[in-house]
Amino acid sequence: MSGFGEKKDDDDDEREGYERPFKGVDKAHVIQEARMFNEPDVDPNKCIQLMTKLLYLLGKGENFSSKESTESIFFPMTKLFQSKDEKLRRLMYLVIKELKPDSDCVIIVTSTLTKDMNATNDLFRANAIRVLCTITDTAMLTAIERYLKQAIVDKQPLVASAALVAGMKLMKS
């Protein structure tokens, strides 16, 4: 039994019935699993689990090389934009935001996100705006300026507030 202030080790957690959900998750395994994004019949739930693992690794400070993030994760993941699953789409936005794609990839992401900014789903529109302002660089700013102006005056408060916050963040850069 550990006393007050003492740190419990992993074995104590397992003995007390606590199971760590990401025990054994490593970068190589996640990169290998990312091949599922290329499958013709993608299971959204499996993709959600994989992206959660990826976000866990990124949150832990794991670094992915440019090749790993671009070729193994990012490009295969862009195929998931065809899915209408809202949970999957939300995680895709988070992964893109955290991976921060290279300048070469930003062009591809920008075109995909601008499509989402014009979608009928307000949640997709707001999230696309948030991600776009995070990953865009000053060279791409003029390309998305028109979309932000339209979104600021949108009737939906969710979209308008996302555009206002995005605009404020972009003003700093």
Side-chain angles (χ1 to χ4, degrees):
M1 184 106 189
S2 62
F4 181 75
E6 289 182 27
K7 196 173 178 182
K8 293 180 1 176
D9 62 0
D10 295 338
D11 293 334
D12 288 341
D13 289 340
E14 290 174 11
R15 274 187 249 132
E16 292 179 16
Y18 175 78
E19 186 177 319
R20 295 184 332 194
F22 297 109
K23 183 178 180 179
V25 172
D26 66 340
K27 181 170 82 169
H29 184 73
V30 169
I31 289 171
Q32 185 177 17
E33 268 189 275
R35 293 179 188 166
M36 80 169 68
F37 298 150
N38 288 323
E39 294 176 1
D41 294 328
V42 177
D43 182 3
N45 291 327
K46 286 183 180 180
C47 292
I48 288 169
Q49 290 173 351
L50 178 61
M51 283 193 253
T52 304
K53 291 176 187 176
L54 178 61
L55 287 169
Y56 167 75
L57 290 173
L58 290 168
K60 232 175 67 169
E62 189 75 49
N63 290 320
F64 289 82
S65 71
S66 178
K67 184 177 181 178
E68 290 170 337
S69 64
T70 304
E71 293 177 18
S72 300
I73 298 169
F74 175 73
F75 280 126
M77 192 180 72
T78 57
K79 295 175 183 169
L80 300 177
F81 274 104
Q82 296 172 3
S83 173
K84 299 296 180 196
D85 189 290
E86 287 186 9
K87 291 178 187 176
L88 179 63
R89 186 69 63 100
R90 283 183 187 174
L91 277 174
M92 287 171 52
Y93 293 132
L94 285 174
V95 169
I96 291 170
K97 205 169 161 181
E98 293 300 317
L99 271 180
K100 295 183 178 85
D102 295 344
S103 57
D104 298 335
C105 299
V106 168
I107 295 169
I108 295 166
V109 177
T110 302
S111 66
T112 306
L113 292 174
T114 52
K115 286 179 189 175
D116 278 0
M117 287 173 65
N118 295 316
T120 55
N121 187 326
D122 293 330
L123 186 61
F124 290 177
R125 293 171 59 211
N127 285 331
I129 291 167
R130 288 184 189 104
V131 173
L132 199 53
C133 84
T134 303
I135 64 165
T136 195
D137 57 358
T138 53
M140 295 294 297
L141 191 56
T142 55
I144 64 165
E145 181 181 11
R146 179 175 60 101
Y147 295 109
L148 284 177
K149 286 179 180 177
Q150 288 174 344
I152 287 173
V153 295
D154 197 271
K155 294 177 185 174
Q156 288 295 327
L158 178 68
V159 175
S161 65
L164 283 170
V165 172
M168 290 184 339
K169 286 182 181 178
L170 289 171
M171 279 180 48
K172 293 178 183 176
S173 64

